[in-house]
């Protein structure tokens, strides 16, 4: 009997994949399933007239247990989008990871796989482990042509993410992921309990120039290994130029008898690294200065007696400061690009052009959710330096949502369960504007604020504080939420060069 194409491919390819996957696959600790072998039709053996000797009968092997059966096919696949903007990996247990250009990778939790009748077509179901959204991947054993690639693909594919949407692509057996084809033990086969978790991101650049407030509230500028204190008593709201050589900051000059800051008694000054001196730029009801991408202009908020508004000025000519947007702007979030500034009130976040017109808006209800984060002028939003669709948000964490988050983490993380604490009051998350996908990144037992992107967009710096303590610490993590490390004591770190 002739074997089907499926049986021939299972016989030929899966044996190689099976042995190799024991060495290099992330799931090597688990024995991969063996494909079901199709018995070949042999002519019936002719009966022998002479019985087997007792010694020959003793050597006859006993019947073993049936071989495990593969639950899906093929064993390992790489799926690639037709537009080259995404890829997805299907491992031994099913879909494992979804990658998109300009976004952090999405880890997936495999669910099940369904074969459509006797056809060479399968549907894999999984879950977005960060948001819980349903994901399905459809694979058909049918040649796929991709005009943008030179590789040959044996399968057509499509992916459907409940939040992100659908996409088409091609797939191939990922034999190139198995460089070692042998059964010899290696160091990789040792127990991994004592080995540190390898970083998920390796090609990143630590910032060269930063500014922050130390534990005593003193403004510090640091270039390389050299740190200097800015000669000012109460500077805050630091904004470091993109070349890392000048620092904008706000100073409260006077407070009224009740201790509240008077709106018309502030200054915005600039500290110059080369001279070590500060110069006053603006005085009056001003707040929140930000450098333009070319470091020639600044945007800031100014109070007109009834509301805060968005203004801009050349750095070298502060007397030319002018109103840019007549509407109310309670918070200023910086420059999106050389022609656009991000600002908002408590209801709407607006992308405002150089001519004062609104190019784009995002409602606070969509950004923060109705029951997860609260509206506050202290919330911050930072646009990814390379992807304008991706936002990094620091916001007030509503008590019920914070408690639910802490409980869910403790249910799946033994270390977090041992260190149960008060739910955090502030948290940071990623938000995708088009898909409205929100991914919480904060540590469960720490209040997190002042989140900032690194210039390469691969790292996030933020201020963390234990709920039971008052000391604030600056941390760094990668944009997928992994490899959190302490940078130094202090808070409100901003990045220049």
């Amino acid at each position: 009997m002739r074997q089907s194409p499926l049986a021939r491919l299972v016989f030929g390819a899966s044996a190689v994949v099976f042995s190799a996957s024991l060495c290099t696959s992330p799931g090597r600790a688990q024995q991969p399933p063996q494909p079901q072998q199709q018995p070949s039709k042999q002519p019936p053996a002719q009966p022998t007239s002479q019985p087997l000797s007792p010694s020959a009968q003793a050597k006859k092997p006993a019947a073993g247990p049936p071989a495990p059966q593969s639950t899906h096919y093929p064993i390992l696949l790489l799926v690639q989008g037709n537009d080259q903007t995404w890829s997805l990996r299907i491992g031994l247990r099913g879909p494992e990871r979804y990658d998109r250009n300009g976004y952090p990778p999405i880890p997936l939790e495999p669910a099940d796989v369904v074969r459509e009748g006797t056809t060479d077509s399968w549907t894999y179901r999984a879950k977005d482990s960060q948001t819980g959204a349903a994901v399905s991947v459809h694979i058909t054993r049918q040649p796929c042509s991709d005009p943008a690639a030179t590789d040959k693909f044996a399968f057509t594919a499509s992916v459907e993410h409940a939040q992100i949407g659908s996409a088409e692509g091609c797939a191939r057996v990922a034999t190139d992921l198995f460089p070692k084809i042998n059964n010899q033990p290696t160091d990789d086969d040792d127990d991994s309990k004592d080995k540190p978790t390898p970083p998920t991101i390796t090609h990143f650049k630590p910032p060269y120039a930063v500014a922050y407030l130390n534990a005593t509230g003193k403004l510090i500028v640091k270039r390389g290994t050299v740190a200097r204190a800015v000669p000012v008593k109460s500077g805050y709201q630091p904004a470091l130029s993109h070349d890392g050589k000048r620092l904008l900051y706000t100073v409260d000059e006077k407070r009224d008898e009740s201790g509240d800051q008077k709106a018309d008694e502030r200054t915005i000054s600039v500290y110059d690294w080369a001279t070590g001196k500060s110069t006053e730029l603006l005085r009056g009801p001003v707040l929140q200065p930000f450098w333009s991408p070319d470091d020639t202009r600044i945007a800031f908020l100014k109070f007109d007696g009834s509301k805060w508004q968005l203004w801009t000025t050349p750095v070298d000519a502060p007397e030319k400061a002018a109103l840019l947007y007549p509407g109310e702007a309670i918070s200023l979030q910086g420059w999106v690009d050389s022609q656009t500034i991000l600002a908002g009130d408590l209801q709407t976040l607006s992308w405002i052009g150089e001519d004062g017109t609104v190019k784009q808006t995002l409602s606070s209800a969509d950004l923060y959710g109705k029951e997860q984060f609260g509206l506050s002028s202290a919330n911050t939003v930072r646009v990814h330096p390379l992807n304008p669709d991706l936002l990094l948000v620091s916001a007030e964490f509503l008590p019920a949502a914070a408690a639910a988050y802490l409980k869910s983490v403790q249910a799946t993380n033994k270390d977090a369960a041992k260190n149960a604490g008060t739910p955090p009051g502030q948290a940071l998350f990623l938000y995708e504007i088009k898909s409205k996908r929100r991914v919480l990144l904060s540590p469960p037992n720490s209040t997190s604020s002042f989140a900032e992107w690194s210039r390469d967009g691969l790292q996030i710096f933020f201020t963390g504080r234990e709920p039971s303590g008052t000391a604030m610490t600056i941390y760094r993590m990668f944009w997928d939420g992994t490899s959190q490390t302490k940078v130094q004591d202090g808070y409100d770190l901003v990045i220049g060069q």
Side-chain angles (χ1 to χ4, degrees):
M1 176 184 297
R2 295 181 61 187
Q3 294 180 337
S4 67
L6 172 61
R8 288 200 302 272
L9 183 55
V10 170
F11 256 103
S14 64
V16 176
V17 175
F18 169 74
S19 62
S21 63
L22 292 176
C23 300
T24 62
S25 170
R28 62 178 179 273
Q30 300 180 0
Q31 294 293 332
Q34 297 281 0
Q36 182 177 4
Q37 298 186 359
Q38 301 291 334
S40 59
K41 206 161 188 181
Q42 301 277 350
Q46 297 294 328
T48 177
S49 58
Q50 297 182 357
L52 296 174
S53 64
S55 59
Q57 292 179 357
K59 294 180 181 179
K60 185 177 180 181
Q69 304 300 308
S70 175
T71 58
H72 66 283
Y73 174 84
I75 289 179
L76 192 63
L77 282 176
L78 285 182
V79 186
Q80 179 176 300
N82 290 336
D83 57 3
Q84 307 294 303
T85 63
W86 64 273
S87 63
L88 186 143
R89 172 177 170 141
I90 300 177
L92 298 175
R93 296 174 52 244
E96 297 176 341
R97 173 170 157 160
Y98 188 17
D99 289 276
R100 297 167 296 157
N101 295 349
Y103 298 90
I106 300 175
L108 302 176
E109 297 178 13
D112 59 9
V113 58
V114 177
R115 183 176 182 178
E116 298 179 1
T118 59
T119 64
D120 288 352
S121 184
W122 297 262
T123 297
Y124 295 82
R125 286 191 281 262
K127 181 176 70 173
D128 184 327
S129 62
Q130 295 173 323
T131 67
V135 179
S136 64
V137 185
H138 187 75
I139 302 292
T140 301
R141 190 175 181 273
Q142 179 180 349
C144 183
S145 60
D146 185 356
T150 58
D151 296 332
K152 295 181 180 180
F153 299 90
F155 302 87
T156 59
S158 63
V159 59
E160 179 73 29
H161 190 290
Q163 292 172 313
I164 299 171
S166 59
E168 303 294 327
C170 302
R172 58 187 171 89
V173 177
T175 54
D176 59 317
L177 294 182
F178 301 111
K180 295 183 291 184
I181 310 296
N182 60 62
N183 291 323
Q184 299 300 319
T186 67
D187 293 339
D188 292 339
D189 297 322
D190 296 337
D191 191 349
S192 60
K193 291 183 180 180
D194 298 329
K195 295 182 179 180
T197 303
T200 56
I201 298 171
T202 56
H203 301 291
F204 64 92
K205 296 180 180 180
Y208 175 76
V210 300
Y212 60 94
L213 284 87
N214 65 14
T216 63
K218 193 73 173 178
L219 262 176
I220 306 295
V221 179
K222 186 175 182 181
R223 287 178 56 83
T225 59
V226 180
R228 296 178 183 174
V230 178
V232 63
K233 293 182 179 179
S234 58
Y236 64 105
Q237 295 180 342
L240 197 57
S241 62
H242 294 73
D243 61 10
K245 297 179 180 180
R246 291 179 292 176
L247 176 74
L248 290 169
Y249 59 91
T250 304
V251 175
D252 292 342
E253 294 296 335
K254 293 181 180 179
R255 294 180 180 272
D256 61 20
E257 296 179 356
S258 66
D260 294 333
Q261 174 62 39
K262 297 177 67 175
D264 59 350
E265 295 297 342
R266 292 189 179 94
T267 62
I268 291 177
S269 298
V270 59
Y271 170 78
D272 188 275
W273 175 272
T275 64
K277 297 180 180 180
S278 292
T279 303
E280 182 181 302
L281 293 181
L282 301 165
R283 175 177 287 269
V286 292
L287 276 176
Q288 296 184 358
F290 280 91
W291 292 97
S292 63
D294 61 2
D295 293 333
T296 63
R297 296 168 292 163
I298 68 170
F300 63 96
L301 295 183
K302 185 175 181 179
F303 192 66
D304 72 347
S306 60
K307 62 184 177 181
W308 290 94
Q309 296 174 307
L310 175 59
W311 285 60
T312 61
T313 185
V315 178
D316 297 334
E319 69 279 2
K320 296 182 180 180
L323 175 66
L324 178 65
Y325 178 62
E328 186 175 27
I330 293 178
S331 64
L332 180 58
Q333 308 298 344
W335 299 68
V336 178
D337 53 47
S338 60
Q339 304 295 323
T340 312
I341 301 172
L342 187 63
D345 54 28
L346 290 180
Q347 304 301 321
T348 307
L349 193 64
S350 300
W351 282 249
I352 302 171
E354 284 276 49
D355 58 356
T357 61
V358 177
K359 298 180 177 181
Q360 177 184 340
T361 61
L362 175 64
S363 72
S364 297
D366 285 339
L367 179 61
Y368 298 113
K370 296 181 179 180
E371 299 177 352
Q372 194 168 19
F373 297 97
L375 303 177
S376 171
S377 59
N379 294 353
T380 63
V381 181
R382 301 291 184 260
V383 181
H384 189 274
L386 302 176
N387 181 4
D389 184 59
L390 184 61
L391 306 179
L392 172 62
V393 185
S394 303
E396 176 188 355
F397 212 169
L398 295 179
Y405 172 56
L406 180 59
K407 184 177 180 180
S408 67
V409 172
Q410 291 173 346
T412 57
N413 188 313
K414 294 181 180 179
D415 293 334
K418 294 178 182 178
N419 301 318
T422 305
Q426 290 178 298
L428 59 96
F429 62 91
L430 295 180
Y431 183 81
E432 299 174 18
I433 299 173
K434 294 178 182 177
S435 66
K436 298 182 180 182
R437 182 173 180 267
R438 187 184 301 108
V439 177
L440 192 58
L441 296 181
S442 294
N445 293 321
S446 174
T447 290
S448 305
S449 57
F450 300 117
E452 295 282 337
W453 290 111
S454 61
R455 294 300 182 195
D456 61 10
L458 298 176
Q459 304 154 85
I460 293 171
F461 291 80
F462 66 98
T463 300
R465 184 177 69 243
E466 298 295 327
S468 58
T470 58
M472 291 184 285
T473 305
I474 297 169
Y475 293 94
R476 186 219 70 190
M477 67 169 62
F478 292 133
W479 67 338
D480 61 356
T482 62
S483 301
Q484 178 182 325
T485 58
K486 176 181 176 179
V487 177
Q488 62 193 54
D489 295 331
Y491 59 99
D492 200 1
L493 180 136
V494 292
I495 298 171
Q497 192 174 4

